Amino acid sequence: MAEDIKPKPPVNTAEWSQKYLQLPEEVGACQREFSLEYGPHLYGIFAAFDDPKIEEIYCMKAAQVLWTTALLAYIFKRICTQAGVFLGMFASESAAKKFALTKMKPVGLATKPVAERMSFSGSTRDGNTTLRKVFDGGFLELFGSNSPGNVKSTTASFVFVEEPDDANEDVGNQGDSIKLLFERTKRSPVPPKKILGGTPSQKGFSRVDEYIRLSDRRVLPIGCHECKQLHVLDFENVHGWEADSESGERHEIFGFNRPDLAVYVCPHCGSPWDDYQRKENIRATVAAAMAAGDPLCGWVATKPTTTVAGFTCLNELYSCLNGVGVHSLVKDYLEAEYYASRGDTSKQVVFINSKLGRPYEYQDGRDNAETLLAHAKEDSESQRAEKVCPSGGLKITVGIDVQDNRLAVLIRAHGRGRRSWLMYADEIYAKVSTTSIDDPVWVELDRIVFAAFEHESGRSLYAGAISIDSGGHATDAVYEWVTTRQKKYPAVKIMAIKGSSSRTNPPVFSPPPAGKVLNFQNPDKLTKADRKNVKLYMVGTNKAKDYLSDQLKLNARGEGRFHFYRANDLRADYFEQLVAEAKVADKTGRLVWKQKPGCPCEFWDCEVYAEHAARAIKIHITTDAEWDKIEVAVTQSDLFNEAVPLVPAKDNAPRYTVKKSTFKRRD
């Protein structure tokens, strides 16, 4: 009787999987019985699965490292030994069905303890479906990440995410699908387990890379059979294939390189490893760590944390599967480089993501924020005080980005040869009204953008065009501000704008459709802009960002076309925001600009809007003769000196207190 009530010791996943798990041929297995001889790196991952102190396990990995098999082993072991409510999320329902039918079903049917507890018949009479499996003590439900009803399910003791980089980032405007899924474990009566793993996508946008950064970032150093020194396996250590002469027959893809001669070379002693020795070194290293009682089975945490295990640098060099080795890796590398040299980077992306298990970084030629700041400090054209227009600046444009609690304002001067100079970049913090412009933030905006700017010639210059975002926040207030200011300041081209989402990649500036007839008798067919009598200008944001990115590249090469103002006066985050977006491939392969998670980009958007304003007043096609006339007007007399001043100069004008930016200037 005492034996019956004594708690059973936890079942080890590594032992259970090698005792029971069967891999039929249809899942692509090279052996019937599952064996960790083909994946010794999984010992450490299984140990984390089994550790009750570890609540979350993340893995950023290459494609052929047995992750899906390991996940199935843990799922089935839990079903057989520790039943409960289990939830699995995939990018889409079709991906969930593919997993259920091509992975879970054949392995489950072949694994006797699982087949005895779960039905794979397809009949719904026993409560089972393709995506929902009932068993004694619980059930397993698989679903796609695009439905809030699926993600916001019942409380679960174990949840997992497959390929998180493809998961929905906003489910029905209710939040991130992964975070919503993880919320399901909060009220679990037993210690919960959250597992997330997949191949990374693009650097700065990879979800699995983002989660790895929150973990203890474990790596698996492997010992050399010659020098016994440990190191993390890296493709940079694969050598012997490089062509040292143009001898022999030239291959169409590989050239004179010889992938068949490639070997892995120990970075410590230079000893070459063939594929057999590489696999033996991995097995020996893990076995030695386990024999010494290492609870991580050879893995080493590089960042201290107690409850989140992260497995990284898991590339195909760690695979001990048949047919996976350095020769095939080098062939894939050379093929990727061959097509990349001809403008097709798709194979290069696959190699970095799926073979090396690393995020791919698109190179757009821009420097990082620190380098841009260094260039600005060295550039003689960028040593002016804030709001001072340089001698070469002859027209001024303004870009305004509207947020819920602030306005970001950027002012840029333009001159010959498409040179431009930043004059102002800051934010005005306030509660931006969604319905009217009574908030003092709009009065402060007037004082900034309609002011007379000091020109280095000693004269004054006013803004010629202003583009203000109306697409997402405080739209009613923006429309009111635009219509009232257009009447008050007719000399300034003031435009309400909205970024274009068209896949046709429209131009930076295009005028609103001419001759549009509004039917006020049918108000349901009128847009908000129509009802407010506002002309809405669409901005070709993709082309604008391409142009600005090119300007930043030219500046970095010393051609000096894109200037700033004195670095000590600039906001500390200005240059970070200039590189807060990167051009990456969307799901269709089309390159688009996308914001990096957690990186504000209001000033980058403002630069786009200021460029839109510049195109609106045709700065990009102004001829030298026209610039001559503008220069004469600027340097010989105050521009608009015969017109009514843009901002009435009244000593008794009411003053408002508006919360300004709290960002410090640079030292």
Side-chain angles (χ1 to χ4, degrees):
M1 179 67 69
E3 289 295 321
D4 293 336
I5 63 174
K6 183 178 180 181
K8 295 181 180 180
V11 179
N12 182 296
T13 302
E15 294 177 359
W16 186 94
S17 61
Q18 293 186 100
K19 182 177 181 180
Y20 296 110
L21 198 68
Q22 299 290 305
L23 304 175
E25 291 183 1
E26 55 262 45
V27 299
C30 57
Q31 78 283 352
R32 177 74 178 179
E33 293 81 19
F34 176 73
S35 171
L36 287 174
E37 282 290 297
Y38 295 95
H41 58 277
L42 295 182
Y43 277 107
I45 295 175
F46 282 153
F49 286 172
D50 296 336
D51 189 341
K53 299 188 298 296
I54 300 295
E55 297 179 3
E56 301 173 45
I57 298 100
Y58 308 142
C59 182
M60 183 168 70
K61 49 80 179 183
Q64 299 292 327
V65 292
L66 294 174
W67 169 257
T68 301
T69 303
L71 183 60
L72 272 174
Y74 182 68
I75 293 170
F76 288 154
K77 188 214 75 170
R78 287 286 299 257
I79 289 172
C80 295
T81 65
Q82 193 181 359
V85 175
F86 308 151
L87 303 176
M89 189 172 75
F90 297 77
S92 63
E93 185 173 308
S94 62
K97 287 182 178 178
K98 183 178 180 181
F99 174 85
L101 294 173
T102 65
K103 300 292 184 181
M104 187 173 73
K105 181 179 178 178
V107 177
L109 285 172
T111 303
K112 185 177 179 181
V114 178
E116 292 173 347
R117 289 169 172 80
M118 287 177 62
S119 171
F120 296 96
S121 66
S123 172
T124 59
R125 287 179 297 179
D126 51 6
N128 284 285
T129 66
T130 300
L131 298 180
R132 182 181 172 90
K133 299 299 179 185
V134 180
F135 43 82
D136 287 343
F139 64 87
L140 167 66
E141 185 170 353
L142 310 177
F143 48 83
S145 66
N146 53 347
S147 171
N150 287 335
V151 178
K152 297 175 67 174
S153 183
T154 184
T155 297
S157 57
F158 163 45
V159 299
F160 66 91
V161 182
E162 270 283 77
E163 298 302 340
D165 279 24
D166 297 327
N168 200 308
E169 296 182 22
D170 188 10
V171 187
N173 295 320
Q174 297 182 38
D176 178 78
S177 61
I178 297 175
K179 289 182 171 60
L180 289 173
L181 176 66
F182 283 0
E183 285 288 317
R184 299 303 94 210
T185 64
K186 279 192 171 180
R187 289 188 285 274
S188 172
V190 298
K193 194 71 70 173
K194 292 173 275 190
I195 298 177
L196 175 151
T199 302
S201 55
Q202 296 150 37
K203 188 172 183 180
F205 303 93
S206 171
R207 311 287 293 289
V208 66
D209 186 35
E210 177 185 347
Y211 276 91
I212 283 292
R213 295 177 188 277
L214 304 176
S215 72
D216 58 7
R217 304 181 197 177
R218 300 181 186 184
V219 296
L220 181 56
I222 302 301
C224 175
H225 59 281
E226 290 288 347
C227 68
K228 311 305 179 186
Q229 294 291 314
L230 297 169
H231 70 276
V232 176
L233 302 186
D234 194 314
F235 184 71
E236 293 294 324
N237 297 323
V238 177
H239 298 290
W241 53 267
E242 303 94 337
D244 54 5
S245 65
E246 295 186 359
S247 59
E249 185 177 351
R250 179 181 176 84
H251 190 277
E252 181 181 354
I253 303 295
F254 308 147
F256 294 101
N257 295 301
R258 294 286 304 276
D260 57 309
L261 300 180
V263 292
Y264 190 88
V265 177
C266 173
H268 295 293
C269 68
S271 172
W273 307 358
D274 59 22
D275 271 333
Y276 172 80
Q277 192 63 67
R278 174 181 60 83
K279 295 173 183 179
E280 286 299 299
N281 286 344
I282 296 171
R283 292 168 181 144
T285 299
V286 173
M290 295 172 63
D294 178 10
L296 303 188
C297 303
W299 288 84
V300 177
T302 61
K303 179 184 175 185
T305 183
T306 56
T307 62
V308 183
F311 297 88
T312 186
C313 298
L314 191 54
N315 56 66
E316 280 196 4
L317 289 169
Y318 283 93
S319 177
C320 294
L321 292 170
N322 294 331
V324 179
V326 294
H327 296 169
S328 60
L329 266 179
V330 171
K331 288 180 180 179
D332 291 336
Y333 168 76
L334 291 173
E335 184 179 12
E337 291 296 301
Y338 172 82
Y339 284 102
S341 68
R342 285 155 176 77
D344 179 6
T345 60
S346 58
K347 293 182 182 297
Q348 196 176 59
V349 174
V350 171
F351 180 79
I352 298 295
N353 293 164
S354 298
K355 300 295 182 179
L356 302 188
R358 297 203 311 257
Y360 180 83
E361 184 174 11
Y362 282 90
Q363 301 294 330
D364 61 14
R366 292 180 299 165
D367 288 311
N368 57 30
E370 293 77 14
T371 305
L372 288 173
L373 173 61
H375 284 310
K377 288 182 176 180
E378 296 169 359
D379 180 18
S380 60
E381 294 275 351
S382 298
Q383 307 309 315
R384 295 164 292 100
E386 183 181 76
K387 295 184 181 179
V388 174
C389 184
S391 58
L394 300 174
K395 286 191 176 184
I396 294 175
T397 65
V398 180
I400 305 167
D401 185 66
V402 181
Q403 297 294 319
D404 284 333
N405 64 341
R406 65 196 185 279
L407 300 177
V409 184
L410 184 140
I411 302 172
R412 187 164 280 277
H414 305 265
R416 303 171 189 271
R418 292 300 274 123
R419 295 177 69 187
S420 68
W421 297 260
L422 182 69
M423 292 174 54
Y424 178 84
D426 209 344
E427 291 177 317
I428 315 169
Y429 282 85
K431 182 179 179 181
V432 180
S433 171
T434 58
T435 58
S436 71
I437 55 173
D438 293 336
D439 195 298
V441 69
W442 299 102
V443 178
E444 181 67 14
L445 177 65
D446 289 346
R447 294 186 187 282
I448 294 172
V449 302
F450 296 121
F453 297 102
E454 177 187 351
H455 192 270
E456 285 188 340
S457 66
R459 305 295 182 176
S460 297
L461 196 61
Y462 294 94
I466 299 172
S467 294
I468 180 169
D469 175 35
S470 66
H473 306 272
T475 301
D476 288 326
V478 170
Y479 286 167
E480 185 179 354
W481 185 82
V482 168
T483 55
T484 55
R485 272 48 176 184
Q486 284 173 340
K487 295 175 183 178
K488 189 173 183 180
Y489 307 114
V492 185
K493 191 173 185 65
I494 304 172
M495 296 162 288
I497 62 172
K498 184 178 180 181
S500 173
S501 59
S502 173
R503 294 181 61 84
T504 59
N505 209 12
V508 178
F509 173 84
S510 55
K516 183 178 181 180
V517 178
L518 302 180
N519 183 4
F520 286 94
Q521 294 180 346
N522 192 352
D524 292 339
K525 294 186 177 181
L526 297 176
T527 66
K528 181 179 286 189
D530 292 335
R531 291 193 294 271
K532 298 286 186 178
N533 197 27
V534 173
K535 289 183 178 181
L536 189 59
Y537 291 77
M538 304 304 292
V539 182
T541 54
N542 210 45
K543 284 193 173 179
K545 291 171 182 177
D546 286 345
Y547 170 77
L548 293 171
S549 177
D550 288 341
Q551 292 296 89
L552 289 173
K553 295 179 211 173
L554 290 170
N555 184 71
R557 291 201 294 265
E559 297 182 30
R561 298 181 64 182
F562 204 70
H563 307 286
F564 310 97
Y565 56 88
R566 196 162 52 207
N568 289 346
D569 293 339
L570 275 167
R571 273 179 55 124
D573 63 337
Y574 170 76
F575 289 109
E576 283 85 351
Q577 294 200 26
L578 284 195
V579 294
E581 288 192 341
K583 201 167 188 181
V584 299
D586 63 11
K587 292 182 179 180
T588 67
R590 173 174 172 252
L591 290 177
V592 297
W593 287 92
K594 187 176 180 182
Q595 184 178 355
K596 299 174 184 176
C599 298
C601 63
E602 285 80 20
F603 290 129
W604 177 239
D605 288 336
C606 284
E607 291 282 12
V608 169
Y609 306 153
E611 178 59 27
H612 173 269
R615 305 286 179 109
I617 55 177
K618 301 181 179 179
I619 284 175
H620 60 304
I621 57 173
T622 301
T623 65
D624 286 340
E626 290 170 331
W627 281 121
D628 289 340
K629 292 179 181 179
I630 296 170
E631 185 172 19
V632 170
V634 170
T635 58
Q636 293 187 358
S637 62
D638 286 349
L639 200 61
F640 308 126
N641 64 340
E642 296 180 356
V644 177
L646 292 180
V647 180
K650 295 183 179 179
D651 294 337
N652 60 350
R655 299 288 172 180
Y656 297 89
T657 301
V658 180
K659 184 181 178 184
K660 297 285 287 187
S661 164
T662 57
F663 273 87
K664 295 181 179 179
R665 300 295 183 178
R666 297 187 179 276
D667 295 329

